[in-house]
Amino acid sequence: GSQTITCKYLGPASCSDHHTSSDTAFAPFWQPARLKKHRKERGGMHCGNGRIGKARKHASGRGNAGGQHMHRIAFDKYHPGYFGKVGMRFFHFKKNPTHMPTVNVDKLWNMVGFEQRKEYLKKTDGTVPLLDVSQHGFFKVLGKGKLPKQPIAVKAKFFSKQAEEKIKNAGGACILTA
């Protein structure tokens, strides 16, 4: 209904806001213990959980218990490959030799900066910006993206074939560092 009533929790309010038609004294998010359903259930022994199933605390085990036993079907269905191993072991894996942060060609001018790029565009004596990518935390330059037709000298430990090609086509140079 839509008639206005006084609710003992929220004061005057319309029924449709938070009351159902059957229960006009229902609190939306908290209730005092005396109004909880459990108070009525107290005399009835099973509290709505039935006589046979019984509301035990952790009837099927805690957490992921039984993944290879009583819950196997659920684990196989929803988490295939959860158990077991994959691949080879690598004893004493050292991250240093494989550490190679990469940057693409299309991001090189972002490191130089827009203002500096405009300055070098005005110069007619053939000077180009020298960009050391290792100072920006990169080791290798890769060739994704486009490079503007403005020469740039790039210093890096490694260059991919495409990156070297694109930098040289723009009139720039690739300088290898140790």
Side-chain angles (χ1 to χ4, degrees):
S2 61
Q3 81 273 15
T4 303
I5 59 158
T6 303
C7 169
K8 59 175 132 185
Y9 304 111
L10 301 177
S14 70
C15 277
S16 59
D17 287 348
H18 61 277
H19 289 282
T20 59
S21 56
S22 62
D23 183 17
T24 53
F26 170 75
F29 43 83
W30 68 273
Q31 274 180 313
R34 66 193 165 80
L35 292 171
K36 283 187 186 288
K37 187 182 177 195
H38 194 59
R39 295 306 320 150
K40 275 194 186 306
E41 302 275 18
R42 270 311 204 181
M45 202 182 292
H46 304 296
C47 297
N49 290 306
R51 187 162 50 90
I52 294 162
K54 299 189 188 66
R56 299 290 192 224
K57 281 191 176 161
H58 295 277
S60 58
R62 291 178 191 245
N64 287 336
Q68 289 180 303
H69 308 286
M70 65 273 195
H71 296 154
R72 170 169 284 204
I73 287 171
F75 266 71
D76 287 350
K77 185 175 181 181
Y78 297 110
H79 310 287
Y82 179 81
F83 296 106
K85 298 175 183 176
V86 161
M88 236 172 14
R89 291 195 294 174
F90 193 133
F91 300 110
H92 193 59
F93 177 70
K94 296 184 283 295
K95 286 186 179 173
N96 266 4
T98 58
H99 179 73
M100 193 176 296
T102 58
V103 63
N104 281 306
V105 162
D106 55 2
K107 297 280 183 268
L108 291 179
W109 279 107
N110 293 0
M111 291 183 219
V112 176
F114 188 65
E115 295 301 319
Q116 207 174 350
R117 181 180 167 190
K118 282 199 293 191
E119 281 175 34
Y120 277 102
L121 204 54
K122 290 174 194 167
K123 292 185 180 181
T124 53
D125 58 350
T127 54
V128 294
L130 176 64
L131 172 65
D132 189 354
V133 293
S134 60
Q135 287 181 343
H136 293 269
F138 298 105
F139 284 10
K140 186 170 184 174
V141 181
L142 302 178
K144 182 188 157 217
K146 291 182 179 176
L147 198 60
K149 290 282 179 196
Q150 185 179 346
I152 184 172
V154 185
K155 273 175 100 173
K157 286 186 174 189
F158 306 97
F159 290 91
S160 73
K161 216 180 283 183
Q162 278 183 319
E164 195 174 354
E165 213 173 273
K166 286 182 182 181
I167 292 167
K168 285 180 179 171
N169 285 348
C174 299
I175 304 159
L176 288 169
T177 58

